[in-house]
Amino acid sequence: MNRLAVFDCDGTLVDSQATICLAMESGFAACGLAGPGDAATRGIIGLSLVEAMAALHPTGTAAQHHVLAEEYKKAFFNLRAAGLAEEPLYDGVAEAIADLDARGWLLGVATGKSDRGLKHILDHHGLHPRFVTLQTADRHPSKPHPSMLELAMAEAGAAPPTTAMIGDTSYDMIMAKAAGCAAIGVAWGYHNADELRDGGADMVAEHPSDLVAMLEALP
């Protein structure tokens, strides 16, 4: 069975919180609502958009949550078109990915982003060829449902005992456990180490350079 390492995107591969928070405030303002604030927004990064809006605006209707999601997408697209979107790779991520690839690990992404958003990031950073399976919110229920990991394993010819999910939120850890996979949290993202462990993290990496040793040590 192939060994598969599946990465989250926002907060794991790239630091996009500044742009996400700006777009969220703009999206809420377009709907005549007070913005949720950066701390609340960081807490929902990783969820699919409609689920994120429901968490941030719990008194709203389902229709309002869909409108908020569309306004957020418009705001994010406008920031990117204006050259104001900041989505840098975390230091050490590119090197860890290259090392895992060289060691024979197959690589994937499971993210609450859209296909378009994920493609933009991977192409911008020259990482697209490294990944054999890409799972997004366009084709799956929101995390922590295990659908993304289940399809990633099917596409990569992997199985739960040889698959690890690497992410920065409790949603990633809960998803990994629901799919029967190893769960590796990363301390440089948007949920703290206690939240990751509460979600089921088997290990928490302090730096991308820790990931290769952690993955190679898995049974």
Side-chain angles (χ1 to χ4, degrees):
M1 237 349 130
N2 291 323
R3 298 189 300 171
L4 175 65
V6 181
F7 289 81
D8 172 52
C9 185
D10 297 309
T12 302
L13 296 178
V14 297
D15 186 4
S16 49
Q17 65 173 309
T19 305
I20 290 172
C21 289
L22 279 173
M24 194 66 73
E25 295 296 308
S26 295
F28 269 67
C31 293
L33 298 170
D38 290 357
T41 295
R42 282 193 296 271
I44 56 77
I45 293 174
L47 295 176
S48 297
L49 276 179
V50 174
E51 286 76 9
M53 299 310 174
L56 291 174
H57 185 42
T59 60
T61 65
Q64 287 173 319
H65 298 151
H66 279 84
V67 172
L68 278 168
E70 289 303 314
E71 291 298 334
Y72 168 87
K73 286 192 285 188
K74 289 178 189 175
F76 201 106
F77 179 83
N78 288 338
L79 287 168
R80 182 173 283 156
L84 299 175
E86 297 180 8
E87 299 168 292
L89 283 178
Y90 287 101
D91 289 342
V93 162
E95 291 82 0
I97 287 172
D99 196 350
L100 287 168
D101 194 6
R103 290 169 182 265
W105 283 83
L106 297 183
L107 304 175
V109 177
T111 175
K113 299 183 86 66
S114 66
D115 287 335
R116 182 177 68 178
L118 178 60
K119 183 179 186 302
H120 175 87
I121 285 175
L122 296 182
D123 287 348
H124 177 73
H125 293 295
L127 293 177
H128 208 287
R130 298 282 192 187
F131 295 97
V132 302
T133 180
L134 302 174
Q135 308 302 326
T136 75
D138 286 346
R139 296 180 304 285
H140 294 279
S142 178
K143 296 175 183 179
H145 192 285
S147 174
M148 291 188 193
L149 279 178
E150 289 168 347
L151 186 53
M153 288 186 284
E155 290 184 352
T162 60
T163 299
M165 178 67 205
I166 301 157
D168 71 301
T169 71
S170 57
Y171 313 125
D172 297 309
M173 304 300 98
I174 296 168
M175 177 175 68
K177 291 306 173 183
C181 303
I184 299 179
V186 303
W188 53 86
Y190 308 142
H191 286 190
N192 63 43
D194 288 340
E195 291 173 297
L196 294 169
R197 292 190 180 96
D198 287 346
D202 298 304
M203 295 174 276
V204 177
E206 294 295 326
H207 186 272
S209 60
D210 300 331
L211 291 173
V212 173
M214 286 181 171
L215 285 163
E216 289 287 302
L218 291 173

